[in-house]
Amino acid sequence: MLIKKYVDKLPIPKILKPDCIIDGMPYYEARMQQFKQILHRDIPATVVWGFEGVYPGPTIETNNYQSIKVKWINHLPSKHLLPVDTTVHGAGPGQPRVRTVIHLHGAVVRPESDGYPDAWFTRDYKQVGPHFTTKVYTYPNRQRAATLWYHAHAIGITRLNVYAGLAGIYIIRDPMQKHLNLPKRRYEIPLLIQDRSFNEDGSLYYPSQPDPPVPGVNPSVLPDFFGDTILVNGKVWPYLELEPRKYRFRIINGSNSRFYKMKLSSKSNFYQIGTDGGLFEKPVVTKEIMLAPAERADVIIDFSGLRGQNVLLTNNAPAPFPQGNLPDPGTAGQIMQFRVCLPLSKQDYSTIPYRLSTITYLKEKKAIIQRNLTLSTKPDIYGRSIHLLENKTWDDPITTKPQLGNIEIWNILNLTRASHPIHLHLVNFQILGRQPFDTEYYEETGKVLATGNTAPPDLNEMGWKDTVKANPGEITRIIARFAPYTGLYPWHCHILEHEDHEMMRPFEVVF
Ligand code: C2O
Ligand code: CU
Ligand code: CU
């Protein structure tokens, strides 16, 4: 199917309104439902999953230090929209096909509100998972202002639930940042980027088997999945009409497997002002922004010199990253179009401040412990390759138990051929650097032999992060303080096909 680009306006998700205030906390309800939505002018309406009748779900906005409560309600049908592989962990034949639990990615929350993968529930809570905690989640928002996103996280079917549409944006604001005078209101726009494929009838296409198929398993999880169509905020290749002035975009990569290396066709700069965990100290001026699944970039683009022009946001990240093929410039190589066609409604007084925020860098010598944690692959009993963390599966006993309040360094040793976006729940971390090492020597001896110098993080990784690209053959070193809560949390690869197929482990913060 040939899909015409830039015929639909970029939708801006509506802001979810609280139902009431309970104990001083706004209380929200968000119903997960199945419905039809038009994702492109020429594609027949698509059956999707979303929240409160929309995909992506409505945006939740709050100030920091304002706690809120959210009840995520499962009103989904009992039949899954997409092919469920019953051979992967937690999705066995005895389990209900449609299970959900929602995780707020980037949030510092108690374990019972974190959306643990085994804390899933079915419609009307008829069945709940082995770690089910509570129906109403509390988000304290005691953290830096940042762009977060919420998404489905049930064990073994996260890739399918997110692909079906269960994701939305969550913005924590800090009233103290008003003086920065960044572009705001209609000049501040979230962009949730996702790739999808479609069948002729408009339904979502997600293969039931890899190519070539795995004998004896159907449907089967895939090693990864790349759609040939790019959606932003739920529209296929949308356009956005703009005034010739500065805009702030909060960009989220909400794709299952696809990395994006973004550029502007006008060769203009991005002024990147923040990342996963909020604002940088200073803006980073760059022509290219790379986002792995779940990473975010807060950017300002100045369209003032581009009056009358159409500017494309393009992508040239190989898929899989970095060893795969470049995207087709006619399809996945394009994301959206900016049309600088509106008159300037009033003078643009917004600024790109030289000083954005203060970041306290964690000191290496304050780290109590360094852990070497491997990323590796091995075949499963069907001969498919599974990815492992710590050379262990999700259900193996917990071996990573940081003590509450301690600073730890995690050396992530990537023994595989692909880059994996590694995400930790509960904490934000800082990237110390990346260093090449001898993977064969490590496999033989279990010892780390560095083969080159440590490269510092990229300029636009020098802030608080919750997801980091761990490249093949490299030690990616991160530092974090494990606080303020004790309990069980997952860490995992955010390529959802990997996460569902063992590339996820629990860690437990202990007292
Ligand atoms: Cu964005 Cu554990 O996930
Ligand atoms: Cu998360
Ligand atoms: Cu991975």
Side-chain angles (χ1 to χ4, degrees):
M1 149 167 47
L2 190 67
I3 303 168
K4 203 153 189 305
K5 296 185 189 67
Y6 316 125
V7 295
D8 292 286
K9 238 196 178 89
L10 174 82
I12 314 262
K14 61 168 195 249
I15 308 289
L16 189 64
K17 295 215 174 58
D19 282 36
C20 57
I21 310 273
I22 299 180
D23 305 330
M25 287 179 258
Y27 167 84
Y28 297 81
E29 289 190 346
R31 261 155 288 267
M32 292 170 247
Q33 295 151 323
Q34 174 171 308
F35 48 88
K36 281 190 165 184
Q37 189 171 312
I38 295 186
L39 306 183
H40 181 274
R41 186 191 69 185
D42 303 327
I43 302 179
T46 306
V47 178
V48 292
W49 289 2
F51 297 84
E52 297 295 306
V54 285
Y55 152 69
T59 298
I60 299 179
E61 268 203 35
T62 176
N63 282 338
N64 60 354
Y65 295 91
Q66 168 67 63
S67 303
I68 69 162
K69 288 183 175 288
V70 182
K71 184 174 186 185
W72 304 104
I73 299 169
N74 183 346
H75 271 183
L76 296 166
S78 57
K79 192 176 172 299
H80 210 291
L81 202 51
L82 299 164
V84 174
D85 176 350
T86 55
T87 69
V88 301
H89 63 195
Q95 304 298 337
R97 292 298 164 91
V98 178
R99 303 170 280 118
T100 61
V101 60
I102 301 301
H103 166 61
L104 178 54
H105 182 121
V108 179
V109 299
R110 289 187 186 278
E112 55 271 26
S113 296
D114 188 51
Y116 200 67
D118 292 321
W120 52 261
F121 48 95
T122 61
R123 187 174 178 132
D124 301 325
Y125 307 98
K126 286 225 168 59
Q127 272 182 277
V128 299
H131 278 277
F132 182 77
T133 52
T134 176
K135 292 181 183 177
V136 179
Y137 282 11
T138 306
Y139 299 114
N141 302 309
R142 298 183 137 268
Q143 58 186 99
R144 290 164 57 93
T147 309
L148 282 59
W149 63 301
Y150 60 85
H151 62 77
H153 214 307
I155 187 80
I157 50 171
T158 293
R159 68 194 183 291
L160 307 173
N161 289 356
V162 172
Y163 193 83
L166 295 180
I169 300 160
Y170 187 109
I171 295 175
I172 302 180
R173 296 185 180 279
D174 181 352
M176 305 289 277
Q177 284 173 359
K178 281 222 172 73
H179 72 279
L180 291 175
N181 196 23
L182 300 168
K184 56 176 183 280
R185 290 193 279 275
R186 64 177 195 275
Y187 307 115
E188 181 200 329
I189 293 169
L191 304 174
L192 176 66
I193 305 175
Q194 300 182 303
D195 59 339
R196 297 288 183 268
S197 290
F198 295 93
N199 298 309
E200 288 290 333
D201 65 357
S203 56
L204 287 172
Y205 171 73
Y206 189 92
S208 56
Q209 285 199 304
D211 183 20
V214 185
V217 202
N218 191 15
S220 167
V221 67
L222 313 169
D224 45 37
F225 178 69
F226 303 99
D228 55 9
T229 306
I230 309 295
L231 288 81
V232 186
N233 299 346
K235 276 288 180 197
V236 171
W237 287 304
Y239 68 84
L240 174 65
E241 297 186 330
L242 302 167
E243 298 177 24
R245 53 158 291 145
K246 292 189 277 307
Y247 281 78
R248 176 183 186 181
F249 297 99
R250 298 171 180 262
I251 311 176
I252 304 167
N253 181 356
S255 307
N256 281 30
S257 294
R258 189 180 286 284
F259 290 52
Y260 298 89
K261 198 185 270 185
M262 294 175 285
K263 284 195 188 100
L264 293 163
S265 62
S266 55
K267 307 212 162 52
S268 314
N269 286 324
F270 296 103
Y271 298 89
Q272 191 176 344
I273 56 171
T275 178
D276 308 347
L279 295 179
F280 294 137
E281 288 200 314
K282 312 191 277 253
V284 175
V285 187
T286 176
K287 301 230 184 276
E288 185 179 281
I289 291 178
M290 175 78 197
L291 285 185
E295 285 189 303
R296 285 88 75 204
D298 197 343
V299 305
I300 294 176
I301 304 175
D302 188 354
F303 294 97
S304 61
L306 298 168
R307 199 183 289 264
Q309 292 193 34
N310 291 341
V311 178
L312 294 183
L313 182 65
T314 61
N315 160 43
N316 71 338
F321 191 83
Q323 81 285 16
N325 296 325
L326 286 173
D328 179 343
T331 58
Q334 297 184 39
I335 300 171
M336 65 175 290
Q337 183 191 51
F338 299 111
R339 292 185 188 161
V340 194
C341 60
L342 302 176
L344 188 63
S345 62
K346 57 172 187 289
Q347 205 180 328
D348 177 9
Y349 290 112
S350 69
T351 57
I352 307 173
Y354 179 71
R355 189 140 193 108
L356 292 161
S357 78
T358 309
I359 290 178
T360 316
Y361 287 96
L362 299 177
K363 295 208 178 55
E364 281 193 50
K365 53 175 197 295
K366 291 273 172 68
I368 302 290
I369 169 172
Q370 295 215 20
R371 297 176 194 272
N372 287 341
L373 302 163
T374 55
L375 317 183
S376 60
T377 56
K378 74 162 196 205
D380 72 359
I381 56 168
Y382 304 98
R384 300 175 294 190
S385 112
I386 47 177
H387 287 92
L388 300 173
L389 303 175
E390 313 175 59
N391 203 26
K392 292 186 171 64
T393 63
W394 171 247
D395 288 317
D396 285 333
I398 303 168
T399 40
T400 302
K401 296 185 179 175
Q403 261 201 5
L404 181 67
N406 274 3
I407 295 178
E408 296 199 354
I409 292 175
W410 287 18
N411 298 317
I412 303 165
L413 306 168
N414 186 347
L415 301 165
T416 77
R417 291 180 51 236
S419 183
H420 301 273
I422 299 299
H423 169 54
L424 276 67
H425 287 215
L426 177 68
V427 296
N428 276 252
F429 52 77
Q430 288 162 357
I431 304 173
L432 295 171
R434 297 184 176 89
Q435 189 173 27
F437 75 112
D438 189 330
T439 55
E440 275 172 32
Y441 185 76
Y442 184 86
E443 311 235 39
E444 280 158 25
T445 64
K447 291 200 185 82
V448 181
L449 180 66
T451 54
N453 294 329
T454 298
D458 295 344
L459 280 180
N460 55 10
E461 293 179 320
M462 306 261 276
W464 288 101
K465 296 279 294 164
D466 58 47
T467 306
V468 61
K469 285 178 281 289
N471 300 319
E474 286 182 1
I475 311 163
T476 302
R477 306 182 69 229
I478 59 171
I479 186 165
R481 179 194 298 276
F482 289 81
Y485 307 120
T486 55
L488 263 191
Y489 295 91
W491 68 287
H492 58 89
C493 174
H494 222 287
I495 292 176
L496 303 182
E497 283 71 18
H498 295 181
E499 170 181 344
D500 276 345
H501 205 190
E502 298 298 351
M503 205 170 196
M504 177 161 71
R505 285 282 296 158
F507 67 89
E508 187 180 4
V509 181
V510 295
F511 191 64

